[in-house]
Amino acid sequence: MSDTPDTPDTAGFAATARSQTSRVRRGTGRTVLSDVAKLAGVSTATVSRVYNEPEKVSAAVRERVEQAALALNWFPNAAGRALASTRSHIAGIIIPTLDDQVFASQVSGMQAAFAARGITLVLGCSNYDPAQALVQVRAMLARGVEAMAIVGEAHPPELFDALRLYRVPYAVTYAYRKESPHVCIGFDNFAAYVQMTEHLIALGHRSFAVCIQPTRDNDRVQARVAGIRATLERHGLAVRPEHMCEGESTIAFGRRSLRSIWQAASERPTAVICGNDHIALGVLREAEELGIAIPHELSVTGFDDLEISKEIHPTLTTMRVDTHEIGKLTAQHLLDMLDGKRAQRGHEVRALLQVRESTGPASR
Amino acid sequence: MSDTPDTPDTAGFAATARSQTSRVRRGTGRTVLSDVAKLAGVSTATVSRVYNEPEKVSAAVRERVEQAALALNWFPNAAGRALASTRSHIAGIIIPTLDDQVFASQVSGMQAAFAARGITLVLGCSNYDPAQALVQVRAMLARGVEAMAIVGEAHPPELFDALRLYRVPYAVTYAYRKESPHVCIGFDNFAAYVQMTEHLIALGHRSFAVCIQPTRDNDRVQARVAGIRATLERHGLAVRPEHMCEGESTIAFGRRSLRSIWQAASERPTAVICGNDHIALGVLREAEELGIAIPHELSVTGFDDLEISKEIHPTLTTMRVDTHEIGKLTAQHLLDMLDGKRAQRGHEVRALLQVRESTGPASR
DNA sequence: TTGTAGGCGTTATCAG
DNA sequence: CTGATAACGCCTACAA
C-alpha cells in the first residue's frame, strides 16, 4: 500500500518534472505557491505569510521569496485563497441598469473605493425586475461575496433573507428612508419631491401635471409620486388622471406626454413635474414646438441635474444628488462592516434644489 | 517582539465568528455539498453530477438530490468549484471610466450576454492610466478570469504578455484596426474621422478647428486626430496650432475652446470638429452666446450621437456607434473562444454619419 | 521566525 | 449509473 516514497506535495520535485511525476495529478501546469517555496528554499507557509502577514517574516527571507515569485511570475490563485481563508475579496452590487448615468456613477464610486482596499466589485443588473435581482444576489452569494449593495428596497423578501442567512453585510442605496429596516445610503425621494412641489406651490401654481418613470417595482419612483401627492393634498390640490403620465425615461416620452396633456379636454396645468431631467428635456423641447412659453405659460422641473440641464434654453430647474458620493459612502460603510466596526444607521445624502429658468410664477 | 495579533488590513470579520467552532475543523457552518449528499442518501460525486452532468444521473436520484438541496437551501460554493474544476466562470473587462455612457453601455451589453451563460463579469476602471490597467489585469488573472475584454490597444506590452502567458482569450474593444495584432471588436476611429472631415470638405470648408479629448495614452483619440490630419493634408490643408484644442470631455471645455479660438489673432475657422457630442454641445452653446450663426457662419460636428443631440437647436451633426452591440459581440466572441471555436479576425462595427443642422456650406 | 500538516468545498478519476 | 477517494492551490493552528 505504501511503498511509494514520494510524498506528493511537499517533496522536492522540479517544476518541469511535475507533470510526468504521477498519473493522478490533474494540475494545470501553472506555477503554484509550492514552486516558489522550493525555489526560495522555504516552506509554503512562509511564502503565504510573505503575502498575507509580511511583518511576521524576516526581511531577508521576504526578499528571497519575492525574488522567487518574480522569477517564476507567480501570484496567488484567488480560488485557493478564498477556499482556504473563507475570504473571497469580492463585493457585489446590483443596480437596475448601467444605461442610467446615476447608477453608473454610483458603481464607479464604489469600484474605486473597493479597489483601493483590494476588493473586486462584481456587477449585476436587474433591469428593474425583482426576480432578476434575486437570481443575481444568489449567484453572488455563491461566489462568496463578502458584502453587497443593492439599489432600492423593493425586492423580494427572500433576497434580504438570503443576505441575512449568509451574514453578508449589505446596504440599500440610492434611496433613504428613516423607517427602513435596512441600512440605507442615499437620499429621501419622498422629501425631495415634497421640496420640489412646495417650490412650485410657492410660485403660485395650483394645477399640476406629472411625467414620471414606471412606478412598478420601483420604490424610489413610488416615493417621488407619493411626495408630490402628499404635498398637493396638504394644499387641497390633486393631479387629474389625464395629467398623470407614466412611461420610459426618455426625451421622447417627455415629448409625447406634454402633447397628450396639451390636447386633453380638461384645463391645462401651469406646471409639469418630471421624474428626471431626460423626461423634462423632452417636455421643454415639445413646449418649444407647441409654442408654449416657458416659464411664463408653463413651469417645468426635472431631477438629476445632468450636465446639459444648465446649458439648454431655458435652463432647467432640477435637483442634484451626488451619486458618485453615494457609491463611495456605501463602499466605506461596507468596508467598516468587514473590519468589524459597529453598524451605522445608514447615511442620508442631500438632494439639492437648483432653481433655474424653467420655473416661474404661475400665470393663473 | 511581535506577538500582537492584529493584522491591520486583511484580517477582518472572519476572526470573531470562528473561535467557537471545533479546534480542528475551520468550517464556516454553511451547508455544503456533503450535507446534501447525506440527506439524499447518495455520494458527493452524484450530487456534483446532478448539477454539472445531469444527463448522467437517473431521474429518480436527480429528483431526490434536488429536493435535498432545496430543503437545505444549498448552492455550490464558487471557490471550491473553481479550485476543483479550474473553471472560474468569471470574465473581466477593463474600461477607462464608467462616467462615459459609451463604455457603460458596452459593459451593459457584455454583462447581459455573459450572464445568460452563467458567467459573472468583473469590472475594472483604468481612469485612462495604462499602469492602472496593468494592475487591474493582473488582479483579474489572479482571480482566474477565463476571458477578458479591454478598451483600446494603447497598453503596456506586459499587459498583453500576461494575457498570452495565461492563455486567456481576450479582445480589444471599441477600437478596430485591420492591422492590429489583437482581435479587435469596434469601429475604425481613423476612418470615422476621415469620413467626418470629408463631409465638411465637400461642403466647401477649408479652415478647421479641432476640439478633442486628451490624446495621451489614448489610441482611439489619436486615431481620430490622425484621421482629420490625413484628410486635410490630402487636400493641402492643415489645422493651425491655435485652432487645435485638447482638454477634458465636457461642455465647459467646448465653451472655453470656442472662445479662445474666436479670440485668436489668426483667421477664424469655418468648421469645428469635436471629439464627442459633449464637447460639441459646449461649442454650440458658446457660439450662441457669441452670436455666431450655426451653420451659416460656423459648422460644428460631434461624435457619439447622444439622445439630446437631435433635440437641441440646431440639431447636431455627429456619428453613431452601437456600443451596446460592441459589448454583446465581444461577449459572443469570447464565449466562442471558451467553447473552443477557432479565433475570428475581429469584428468591425460601423460608425454612421448623422448629418443634421449644425453643418452646412462654408461661407467663405 | 519558520516549518508541518490538515483542511477549505467541489470535481474528476477509476473501479464497481 | 453510482461510489470512494485523491486532487485543486492556499491558509493557518500548532509545534519547533
Side-chain angles (χ1 to χ4, degrees), chain A residues 81-125:
Chain A
R81 219 153 101 91
L83 197 50
S85 67
T86 62
R87 282 269 272 146
S88 66
H89 299 273
I90 289 180
I93 179 170
I94 308 275
I95 61 174
T97 168
L98 265 181
D99 295 335
D100 191 326
Q101 187 61 47
V102 299
F103 301 129
S105 84
Q106 188 185 313
V107 172
S108 163
M110 281 191 68
Q111 202 266 339
F114 274 135
R117 282 281 301 270
I119 293 197
T120 301
L121 186 65
V122 318
L123 173 71
C125 296

CSV table of all heavy atoms in Angstrom, one decimal, chain A residues 81-125:
chain,number,residue,atom,x,y,z
A,81,ARG,N,-7.1,30.7,-2.4
A,81,ARG,CA,-7.1,31.6,-1.3
A,81,ARG,C,-8.5,31.7,-0.7
A,81,ARG,O,-8.6,31.6,0.6
A,81,ARG,CB,-6.7,33.0,-1.9
A,81,ARG,CG,-5.9,33.8,-1.1
A,81,ARG,CD,-5.1,34.8,-2.0
A,81,ARG,NE,-5.7,36.1,-2.0
A,81,ARG,CZ,-5.3,37.1,-1.2
A,81,ARG,NH1,-4.4,36.8,-0.3
A,81,ARG,NH2,-5.8,38.2,-1.3
A,82,ALA,N,-9.5,31.9,-1.5
A,82,ALA,CA,-10.8,32.0,-1.0
A,82,ALA,C,-11.2,30.8,-0.2
A,82,ALA,O,-11.8,30.9,0.9
A,82,ALA,CB,-11.8,32.3,-2.1
A,83,LEU,N,-10.9,29.7,-0.8
A,83,LEU,CA,-11.3,28.4,-0.2
A,83,LEU,C,-10.6,28.2,1.2
A,83,LEU,O,-11.3,27.9,2.2
A,83,LEU,CB,-10.9,27.2,-1.1
A,83,LEU,CG,-11.6,25.9,-0.8
A,83,LEU,CD1,-13.1,26.2,-0.7
A,83,LEU,CD2,-11.3,25.0,-1.9
A,84,ALA,N,-9.4,28.5,1.2
A,84,ALA,CA,-8.6,28.2,2.5
A,84,ALA,C,-8.9,29.3,3.5
A,84,ALA,O,-8.9,29.0,4.7
A,84,ALA,CB,-7.1,28.2,2.2
A,85,SER,N,-9.1,30.5,3.1
A,85,SER,CA,-9.3,31.6,4.1
A,85,SER,C,-10.7,32.0,4.3
A,85,SER,O,-11.0,32.7,5.2
A,85,SER,CB,-8.5,32.8,3.6
A,85,SER,OG,-9.1,33.3,2.5
A,86,THR,N,-11.6,31.4,3.6
A,86,THR,CA,-13.0,31.8,3.6
A,86,THR,C,-13.2,33.3,3.5
A,86,THR,O,-14.1,34.0,4.0
A,86,THR,CB,-13.8,31.4,4.9
A,86,THR,OG1,-13.1,32.0,6.0
A,86,THR,CG2,-13.7,29.9,5.0
A,87,ARG,N,-12.3,33.9,2.7
A,87,ARG,CA,-12.4,35.3,2.4
A,87,ARG,C,-12.2,35.4,0.8
A,87,ARG,O,-11.2,35.0,0.3
A,87,ARG,CB,-11.2,36.1,3.0
A,87,ARG,CG,-11.3,36.4,4.4
A,87,ARG,CD,-11.9,37.7,4.7
A,87,ARG,NE,-11.0,38.8,4.7
A,87,ARG,CZ,-11.3,40.0,4.3
A,87,ARG,NH1,-12.4,40.3,3.7
A,87,ARG,NH2,-10.4,41.0,4.4
A,88,SER,N,-13.2,36.0,0.2
A,88,SER,CA,-13.2,36.0,-1.3
A,88,SER,C,-12.6,37.3,-1.8
A,88,SER,O,-12.2,37.3,-3.0
A,88,SER,CB,-14.6,35.8,-1.8
A,88,SER,OG,-15.4,36.9,-1.5
A,89,HIS,N,-12.6,38.3,-1.0
A,89,HIS,CA,-12.2,39.6,-1.5
A,89,HIS,C,-13.0,40.1,-2.7
A,89,HIS,O,-12.5,40.7,-3.6
A,89,HIS,CB,-10.7,39.6,-1.9
A,89,HIS,CG,-9.8,39.3,-0.8
A,89,HIS,ND1,-9.3,40.2,0.1
A,89,HIS,CD2,-9.3,38.1,-0.4
A,89,HIS,CE1,-8.6,39.6,1.0
A,89,HIS,NE2,-8.6,38.3,0.8
A,90,ILE,N,-14.3,39.7,-2.6
A,90,ILE,CA,-15.2,40.1,-3.7
A,90,ILE,C,-16.4,40.8,-3.0
A,90,ILE,O,-16.9,40.4,-2.0
A,90,ILE,CB,-15.8,38.9,-4.5
A,90,ILE,CG1,-14.7,38.4,-5.4
A,90,ILE,CG2,-17.0,39.3,-5.3
A,90,ILE,CD1,-15.1,37.2,-6.2
A,91,ALA,N,-16.9,41.9,-3.6
A,91,ALA,CA,-18.1,42.5,-3.1
A,91,ALA,C,-19.0,42.7,-4.3
A,91,ALA,O,-18.5,42.7,-5.5
A,91,ALA,CB,-17.9,43.9,-2.5
A,92,GLY,N,-20.3,42.7,-4.1
A,92,GLY,CA,-21.2,42.8,-5.2
A,92,GLY,C,-22.1,44.0,-5.2
A,92,GLY,O,-22.4,44.6,-4.1
A,93,ILE,N,-22.6,44.4,-6.4
A,93,ILE,CA,-23.6,45.5,-6.4
A,93,ILE,C,-24.6,45.2,-7.4
A,93,ILE,O,-24.3,44.7,-8.5
A,93,ILE,CB,-23.0,46.9,-6.7
A,93,ILE,CG1,-24.1,48.0,-6.7
A,93,ILE,CG2,-22.2,46.9,-8.0
A,93,ILE,CD1,-23.6,49.4,-6.8
A,94,ILE,N,-25.9,45.4,-7.1
A,94,ILE,CA,-27.0,45.1,-8.0
A,94,ILE,C,-27.6,46.5,-8.3
A,94,ILE,O,-28.1,47.2,-7.4
A,94,ILE,CB,-28.1,44.3,-7.4
A,94,ILE,CG1,-27.5,43.0,-6.8
A,94,ILE,CG2,-29.2,44.0,-8.4
A,94,ILE,CD1,-27.3,41.9,-7.8
A,95,ILE,N,-27.6,46.9,-9.6
A,95,ILE,CA,-28.3,48.1,-10.0
A,95,ILE,C,-29.4,47.8,-11.0
A,95,ILE,O,-29.3,46.7,-11.6
A,95,ILE,CB,-27.3,49.1,-10.6
A,95,ILE,CG1,-26.6,48.5,-11.8
A,95,ILE,CG2,-26.2,49.5,-9.5
A,95,ILE,CD1,-25.8,49.5,-12.5
A,96,PRO,N,-30.3,48.6,-11.3
A,96,PRO,CA,-31.3,48.4,-12.3
A,96,PRO,C,-30.7,48.3,-13.7
A,96,PRO,O,-30.9,47.4,-14.4
A,96,PRO,CB,-32.3,49.6,-12.1
A,96,PRO,CG,-32.1,50.1,-10.8
A,96,PRO,CD,-30.6,49.9,-10.5
A,97,THR,N,-29.9,49.3,-14.0
A,97,THR,CA,-29.3,49.3,-15.3
A,97,THR,C,-28.1,50.3,-15.4
A,97,THR,O,-28.1,51.3,-14.7
A,97,THR,CB,-30.3,49.8,-16.4
A,97,THR,OG1,-29.7,50.1,-17.6
A,97,THR,CG2,-31.0,51.1,-15.9
A,98,LEU,N,-27.2,49.9,-16.2
A,98,LEU,CA,-26.0,50.8,-16.4
A,98,LEU,C,-26.3,51.9,-17.3
A,98,LEU,O,-25.5,52.8,-17.5
A,98,LEU,CB,-24.8,50.0,-16.9
A,98,LEU,CG,-23.8,49.4,-16.0
A,98,LEU,CD1,-22.7,48.7,-16.7
A,98,LEU,CD2,-23.2,50.5,-15.1
A,99,ASP,N,-27.4,51.8,-18.0
A,99,ASP,CA,-27.7,52.8,-19.0
A,99,ASP,C,-28.2,54.1,-18.4
A,99,ASP,O,-28.4,55.1,-19.1
A,99,ASP,CB,-28.8,52.3,-20.0
A,99,ASP,CG,-28.2,51.1,-20.8
A,99,ASP,OD1,-27.0,51.0,-20.9
A,99,ASP,OD2,-29.0,50.3,-21.2
A,100,ASP,N,-28.3,54.2,-17.1
A,100,ASP,CA,-28.7,55.4,-16.5
A,100,ASP,C,-27.4,55.9,-15.7
A,100,ASP,O,-26.9,55.2,-14.9
A,100,ASP,CB,-29.8,55.2,-15.5
A,100,ASP,CG,-30.4,56.5,-15.0
A,100,ASP,OD1,-29.6,57.5,-14.8
A,100,ASP,OD2,-31.6,56.5,-14.7
A,101,GLN,N,-27.0,57.1,-16.1
A,101,GLN,CA,-25.8,57.7,-15.5
A,101,GLN,C,-25.8,57.7,-14.0
A,101,GLN,O,-24.7,57.5,-13.5
A,101,GLN,CB,-25.8,59.2,-16.0
A,101,GLN,CG,-24.5,59.9,-15.7
A,101,GLN,CD,-23.3,59.2,-16.3
A,101,GLN,OE1,-23.4,58.9,-17.5
A,101,GLN,NE2,-22.3,59.0,-15.5
A,102,VAL,N,-26.9,57.9,-13.4
A,102,VAL,CA,-26.8,57.9,-11.9
A,102,VAL,C,-26.4,56.6,-11.3
A,102,VAL,O,-25.7,56.6,-10.3
A,102,VAL,CB,-28.2,58.4,-11.2
A,102,VAL,CG1,-28.6,59.8,-11.7
A,102,VAL,CG2,-29.3,57.4,-11.5
A,103,PHE,N,-26.7,55.5,-11.9
A,103,PHE,CA,-26.3,54.2,-11.4
A,103,PHE,C,-24.9,53.9,-11.8
A,103,PHE,O,-24.1,53.4,-11.0
A,103,PHE,CB,-27.2,53.1,-11.8
A,103,PHE,CG,-28.7,53.3,-11.4
A,103,PHE,CD1,-29.7,53.2,-12.3
A,103,PHE,CD2,-28.9,53.7,-10.0
A,103,PHE,CE1,-31.0,53.5,-11.8
A,103,PHE,CE2,-30.2,53.9,-9.6
A,103,PHE,CZ,-31.3,53.8,-10.5
A,104,ALA,N,-24.5,54.3,-13.0
A,104,ALA,CA,-23.2,54.1,-13.5
A,104,ALA,C,-22.2,54.8,-12.6
A,104,ALA,O,-21.2,54.3,-12.2
A,104,ALA,CB,-23.0,54.6,-14.9
A,105,SER,N,-22.5,56.0,-12.2
A,105,SER,CA,-21.6,56.8,-11.4
A,105,SER,C,-21.5,56.3,-9.9
A,105,SER,O,-20.5,56.3,-9.3
A,105,SER,CB,-21.9,58.3,-11.4
A,105,SER,OG,-22.8,58.6,-10.5
A,106,GLN,N,-22.6,55.7,-9.5
A,106,GLN,CA,-22.6,55.1,-8.2
A,106,GLN,C,-21.7,53.9,-8.2
A,106,GLN,O,-20.9,53.7,-7.3
A,106,GLN,CB,-24.0,54.7,-7.8
A,106,GLN,CG,-24.1,54.2,-6.4
A,106,GLN,CD,-25.6,53.7,-6.1
A,106,GLN,OE1,-26.5,54.3,-6.5
A,106,GLN,NE2,-25.6,52.5,-5.5
A,107,VAL,N,-21.8,53.1,-9.2
A,107,VAL,CA,-20.9,51.9,-9.4
A,107,VAL,C,-19.4,52.4,-9.4
A,107,VAL,O,-18.6,51.8,-8.8
A,107,VAL,CB,-21.2,51.1,-10.7
A,107,VAL,CG1,-20.2,50.0,-10.9
A,107,VAL,CG2,-22.6,50.5,-10.6
A,108,SER,N,-19.2,53.4,-10.2
A,108,SER,CA,-17.9,53.9,-10.3
A,108,SER,C,-17.3,54.4,-9.0
A,108,SER,O,-16.1,54.1,-8.6
A,108,SER,CB,-18.0,55.1,-11.3
A,108,SER,OG,-16.8,55.9,-11.2
A,109,GLY,N,-18.1,55.0,-8.1
A,109,GLY,CA,-17.6,55.4,-6.8
A,109,GLY,C,-17.3,54.2,-5.9
A,109,GLY,O,-16.3,54.2,-5.2
A,110,MET,N,-18.1,53.2,-6.0
A,110,MET,CA,-17.9,52.0,-5.2
A,110,MET,C,-16.6,51.3,-5.7
A,110,MET,O,-15.8,50.8,-4.9
A,110,MET,CB,-19.1,51.1,-5.2
A,110,MET,CG,-20.2,51.4,-4.4
A,110,MET,SD,-21.5,50.1,-4.3
A,110,MET,CE,-20.6,48.9,-3.3
A,111,GLN,N,-16.6,51.1,-7.0
A,111,GLN,CA,-15.5,50.4,-7.5
A,111,GLN,C,-14.1,51.0,-7.1
A,111,GLN,O,-13.2,50.2,-6.7
A,111,GLN,CB,-15.6,50.4,-9.1
A,111,GLN,CG,-14.9,49.3,-9.8
A,111,GLN,CD,-13.5,49.7,-10.2
A,111,GLN,OE1,-13.2,50.9,-10.3
A,111,GLN,NE2,-12.7,48.7,-10.5
A,112,ALA,N,-14.0,52.3,-7.2
A,112,ALA,CA,-12.8,52.9,-6.8
A,112,ALA,C,-12.4,52.7,-5.4
A,112,ALA,O,-11.3,52.4,-5.0
A,112,ALA,CB,-12.8,54.4,-7.2
A,113,ALA,N,-13.4,52.9,-4.5
A,113,ALA,CA,-13.2,52.8,-3.1
A,113,ALA,C,-12.8,51.3,-2.7
A,113,ALA,O,-11.9,51.1,-1.9
A,113,ALA,CB,-14.4,53.2,-2.3
A,114,PHE,N,-13.5,50.4,-3.3
A,114,PHE,CA,-13.1,49.0,-3.0
A,114,PHE,C,-11.8,48.6,-3.6
A,114,PHE,O,-11.0,47.9,-2.9
A,114,PHE,CB,-14.2,48.0,-3.6
A,114,PHE,CG,-15.4,47.8,-2.7
A,114,PHE,CD1,-16.7,47.9,-3.2
A,114,PHE,CD2,-15.2,47.6,-1.4
A,114,PHE,CE1,-17.8,47.7,-2.4
A,114,PHE,CE2,-16.3,47.4,-0.5
A,114,PHE,CZ,-17.6,47.4,-1.0
A,115,ALA,N,-11.5,49.0,-4.8
A,115,ALA,CA,-10.2,48.6,-5.4
A,115,ALA,C,-9.1,49.1,-4.6
A,115,ALA,O,-8.1,48.4,-4.4
A,115,ALA,CB,-10.1,49.3,-6.8
A,116,ALA,N,-9.2,50.3,-3.9
A,116,ALA,CA,-8.2,50.8,-3.1
A,116,ALA,C,-7.9,49.9,-1.9
A,116,ALA,O,-6.8,49.9,-1.3
A,116,ALA,CB,-8.5,52.2,-2.6
A,117,ARG,N,-8.8,49.0,-1.6
A,117,ARG,CA,-8.6,48.1,-0.5
A,117,ARG,C,-8.5,46.6,-1.0
A,117,ARG,O,-8.7,45.7,-0.2
A,117,ARG,CB,-9.8,48.2,0.5
A,117,ARG,CG,-9.7,49.4,1.4
A,117,ARG,CD,-8.7,49.2,2.5
A,117,ARG,NE,-9.1,48.0,3.3
A,117,ARG,CZ,-9.9,48.1,4.4
A,117,ARG,NH1,-10.3,49.2,4.8
A,117,ARG,NH2,-10.2,47.0,5.1
A,118,GLY,N,-8.2,46.5,-2.2
A,118,GLY,CA,-8.0,45.1,-2.8
A,118,GLY,C,-9.3,44.3,-3.0
A,118,GLY,O,-9.2,43.1,-3.0
A,119,ILE,N,-10.4,44.9,-3.0
A,119,ILE,CA,-11.6,44.2,-3.2
A,119,ILE,C,-12.2,44.4,-4.6
A,119,ILE,O,-12.3,45.5,-5.1
A,119,ILE,CB,-12.7,44.6,-2.1
A,119,ILE,CG1,-12.1,44.2,-0.8
A,119,ILE,CG2,-14.0,44.0,-2.4
A,119,ILE,CD1,-13.1,44.1,0.3
A,120,THR,N,-12.5,43.3,-5.2
A,120,THR,CA,-13.1,43.4,-6.6
A,120,THR,C,-14.6,43.5,-6.5
A,120,THR,O,-15.2,42.8,-5.7
A,120,THR,CB,-12.7,42.1,-7.3
A,120,THR,OG1,-11.3,42.0,-7.3
A,120,THR,CG2,-13.2,42.1,-8.7
A,121,LEU,N,-15.1,44.3,-7.4
A,121,LEU,CA,-16.5,44.5,-7.4
A,121,LEU,C,-17.1,43.7,-8.6
A,121,LEU,O,-16.6,43.8,-9.7
A,121,LEU,CB,-16.8,46.0,-7.6
A,121,LEU,CG,-18.3,46.4,-7.5
A,121,LEU,CD1,-18.8,46.2,-6.1
A,121,LEU,CD2,-18.4,47.9,-7.9
A,122,VAL,N,-18.1,43.0,-8.3
A,122,VAL,CA,-18.8,42.3,-9.4
A,122,VAL,C,-20.2,42.9,-9.5
A,122,VAL,O,-20.8,43.3,-8.5
A,122,VAL,CB,-18.9,40.8,-9.2
A,122,VAL,CG1,-17.6,40.2,-8.8
A,122,VAL,CG2,-20.1,40.4,-8.4
A,123,LEU,N,-20.6,43.0,-10.7
A,123,LEU,CA,-21.8,43.9,-11.1
A,123,LEU,C,-22.9,43.0,-11.6
A,123,LEU,O,-22.7,42.1,-12.4
A,123,LEU,CB,-21.4,44.8,-12.2
A,123,LEU,CG,-22.4,45.7,-12.8
A,123,LEU,CD1,-22.9,46.7,-11.8
A,123,LEU,CD2,-21.9,46.3,-14.1
A,124,GLY,N,-24.1,43.3,-11.1
A,124,GLY,CA,-25.3,42.6,-11.6
A,124,GLY,C,-26.4,43.7,-12.0
A,124,GLY,O,-26.5,44.7,-11.3
A,125,CYS,N,-27.1,43.5,-13.1
A,125,CYS,CA,-28.1,44.4,-13.5
A,125,CYS,C,-29.5,43.7,-13.4
A,125,CYS,O,-29.6,42.6,-13.9
A,125,CYS,CB,-27.9,44.9,-14.9
A,125,CYS,SG,-26.5,45.9,-15.1
